[in-house]
Amino acid sequence: MRRAIYPGTFDPVTFGHLDIIERSSRIFDEVIVGILVNNAKVPLFSAEERLDMLKEAVKDRPNVRVMSFGGLLTDFARAQEAGFIVRGLRAVTDFEYELQMTQTNKVIAPEIDTIFLTTSLKYSYLSSSTVKELASFGSEIDRFVPEHVAQRIKEKYRL
Ligand code: ADP
């Protein structure tokens, strides 16, 4: 069984993330989307909210599961018996950080390989931060995130 973890903050999930999820679900037997909690960033959405939004977004994909995790990614991957980590690459700016993280993970967990999927061109500009910034100024975000996610973001900024 080829099982992969797709880790991230997903604050919130965008069409860019969903594109990577869809493509990796065709490569692997099972994909676990791992929502990182307790990281240095202070998220807009709680781990529970991020989990809810992601579960709704992948509900029609039978080989995709969503979980949250804290601590080391390699510990989580080992606990889930996943041999692969999937990450998305948008631009060169992502590369240096990703390379360093991958090499570190390879030292501490040599049996786990990281696979990079380059972003689909139409989503290469898209990030959770951009979506949040646009929404905070009242701009429409329906092109960037699923409808149920857009609704949640709008509610946050209305409060
Ligand atoms: P992190 O804080 O771990 O970078 P993110 O939730 O921002 O978490 O991203 C998770 C993963 O998804 C990362 O590998 C990131 O490069 C990738 N990703 C984010 N946005 C896109 C996009 N528009 N297209 C492809 N990959 C993306």
Side-chain angles (χ1 to χ4, degrees):
M1 153 89 85
R2 281 175 180 271
R3 184 179 290 133
I5 306 279
Y6 175 40
T9 313
F10 305 107
D11 185 39
V13 59
T14 68
F15 286 139
H17 298 129
L18 291 172
D19 178 60
I20 299 287
I21 292 173
E22 196 224 299
R23 288 157 60 204
S24 49
S25 74
R26 282 189 262 122
I27 300 172
F28 297 100
D29 299 313
E30 187 176 41
V31 175
I32 299 175
V33 182
I35 302 174
L36 182 61
V37 288
N38 288 335
N39 55 347
K41 301 177 194 170
V42 179
L44 177 65
F45 291 99
S46 69
E48 208 181 345
E49 289 172 313
R50 286 179 278 154
L51 191 80
D52 276 357
M53 285 186 279
L54 259 162
K55 277 189 172 164
E56 173 68 24
V58 304
K59 65 172 195 265
D60 294 329
R61 304 203 167 277
N63 68 335
V64 178
R65 275 197 286 145
V66 187
M67 297 176 74
S68 53
F69 75 100
L72 279 182
L73 171 59
T74 45
D75 288 343
F76 177 60
R78 276 178 174 156
Q80 298 305 318
E81 296 178 350
F84 303 90
I85 292 168
V86 172
R87 293 286 289 173
L89 282 180
R90 280 165 294 191
V92 235
T93 41
D94 283 338
F95 183 75
E96 211 165 324
Y97 170 71
E98 294 293 338
L99 185 68
Q100 188 187 13
M101 215 164 53
T102 298
Q103 287 172 338
T104 309
N105 287 340
K106 195 74 190 159
V107 171
I108 54 180
E111 79 281 14
I112 299 174
D113 270 312
T114 302
I115 308 290
F116 291 103
L117 292 179
T118 50
T119 181
S120 298
L121 266 184
K122 59 180 174 177
Y123 299 128
S124 58
Y125 62 89
L126 191 53
S127 72
S128 301
S129 331
T130 312
V131 174
K132 285 182 282 190
E133 195 171 356
L134 286 171
S136 74
F137 291 114
S139 181
E140 274 310 315
I141 47 170
D142 305 53
R143 270 172 297 169
F144 311 127
V145 294
E147 201 190 326
H148 70 279
V149 176
Q151 211 51 47
R152 294 265 201 133
I153 301 175
K154 284 177 199 160
E155 279 162 23
K156 278 274 177 201
Y157 285 111
R158 227 179 276 139
L159 292 175

